[in-house]
């Protein structure tokens, strides 16, 4: 199975959204890493991996995501995983990765977070 | 079902196709399918990327069976002797930024399978895995 990624940047909110569709595994992880690294180099406050259409993930894909999470954290930014299907969620849970990533169960939670972030920016 | 795989990462797709065909033929539930796909990906990647790297070997043998209401997966390869289950588990209590890379794949294999074993015999690595099948066909995979 292939992996398709679609990147959308909201410069005003400083949010990058990376939508993943297909399988993130040994086969697709190297290309995805290149794409994600480019996005992260943009220095956005928040990078959201939208997993709504992600069907499958293996450790090769998780390594890429964890590496990016480390990098964004070191830069004072966040990497988030949103819209995880139950079996994808289980993998993150087993690896105890969720506490270190801003996680959003759905788009609503993400929007709330973005609103709060905006208010913080305006307020401070 | 028994298939032979060449020493190439492309063959993981072949293994997945074989798994799907086998799972359809014997009505394997969704949870067991997903678990099997994950462990095949992880273990075959390891064998092809490290165990068999850079030399000629006999093909990897993949066997899928149903045994005692389990999906049984056996992978046999003639690469360097390597017991994947002998490696230390990653320390998952550390925050992500302090973790060492590696070890995640095998850890997932242990977590997703109900039984796993390794033996080295006749110059072959033999890994055997078992995943319990859901008892009834209704809503399989929604458990826990």
């Amino acid at each position: 199975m292939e992996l398709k990624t679609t990147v959308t940047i909201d410069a005003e909110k400083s949010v990058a959204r990376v939508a993943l569709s297909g399988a993130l595994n040994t086969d697709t992880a190297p290309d995805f890493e290149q794409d994600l690294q480019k996005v992260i180099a943009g220095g956005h406050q928040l990078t959201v991996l939208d997993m709504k259409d992600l069907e499958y993930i293996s450790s090769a894909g998780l390594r890429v995501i964890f590496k990016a999470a480390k990098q964004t954290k070191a830069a004072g930014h966040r990497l988030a995983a949103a819209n995880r299907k139950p079996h994808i969620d289980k993998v993150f849970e087993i690896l105890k990765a969720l506490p270190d990533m801003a996680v959003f169960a759905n788009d609503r939670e993400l929007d709330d977070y973005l609103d709060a972030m905006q208010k913080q920016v305006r307020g401070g | 079902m028994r298939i032979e795989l060449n020493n190439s990462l492309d063959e993981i797709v072949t293994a997945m196709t074989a798994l799907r065909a086998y799972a359809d033929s014997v009505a394997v539930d969704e949870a067991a399918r997903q678990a099997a796909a994950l462990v095949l990906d992880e273990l075959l990647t390891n064998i092809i990327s490290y165990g068999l790297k850079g030399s000629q070997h006999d093909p990897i043998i993949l066997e899928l069976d149903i045994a005692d209401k389990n999906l049984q997966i056996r992978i046999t390869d003639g690469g360097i002797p390597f017991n994947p289950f002998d490696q230390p588990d990653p320390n998952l209590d550390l925050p992500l930024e302090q973790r060492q890379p590696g070890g995640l794949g095998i850890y997932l294999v242990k977590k997703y399978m109900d039984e796993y074993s390794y033996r080295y015999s006749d110059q072959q690595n033999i890994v055997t895995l078992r995943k319990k099948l859901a008892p009834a066909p209704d809503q399989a995979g929604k458990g826990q």
Side-chain angles (χ1 to χ4, degrees), chain A residues 14-25:
Chain A
S14 191
V15 175
R17 186 188 276 262
V18 183
L20 294 90
S21 170
L24 181 50
N25 55 17

Side-chain angles (χ1 to χ4, degrees), chain A residues 1 24-27 55-60 62-63 65-66 69-70 73 87 90-91 94-97 100-101, chain B residues 9 12-13 16 34 37-38 41-42 45 92-99 101-102 104-105 107-108 111-112 144:
Chain A
M1 199 192 287
L24 181 50
N25 55 17
T26 307
D27 197 24
E55 303 297 337
Y56 174 78
I57 192 163
S58 79
S59 67
L62 290 158
R63 265 194 293 278
I65 291 175
F66 295 165
K70 280 186 196 181
K73 203 169 177 185
H87 64 280
K90 189 178 169 189
V91 178
I94 288 173
L95 297 179
K96 298 186 184 172
D100 288 308
M101 299 179 70
Chain B
L9 287 173
I12 293 176
V13 177
M16 294 298 168
Q34 285 175 357
L38 183 78
D41 189 336
E42 301 293 353
T45 298
L92 300 177
D93 293 323
L94 292 173
L96 279 184
E97 64 269 22
Q98 289 172 27
R99 292 187 197 171
L104 295 180
Y107 184 75
L108 288 175
K111 286 290 176 185
Y112 273 85
Q144 293 186 15

Side-chain angles (χ1 to χ4, degrees), chain B residues 1 18-19 22 40 62-66 71-74:
Chain B
M1 173 188 240
L19 169 65
Y22 182 74
L40 276 183
L62 170 63
E63 292 163 280
L64 302 169
D65 291 292
I66 301 294
L71 172 64
Q72 179 171 292
I73 302 167
R74 178 166 291 154

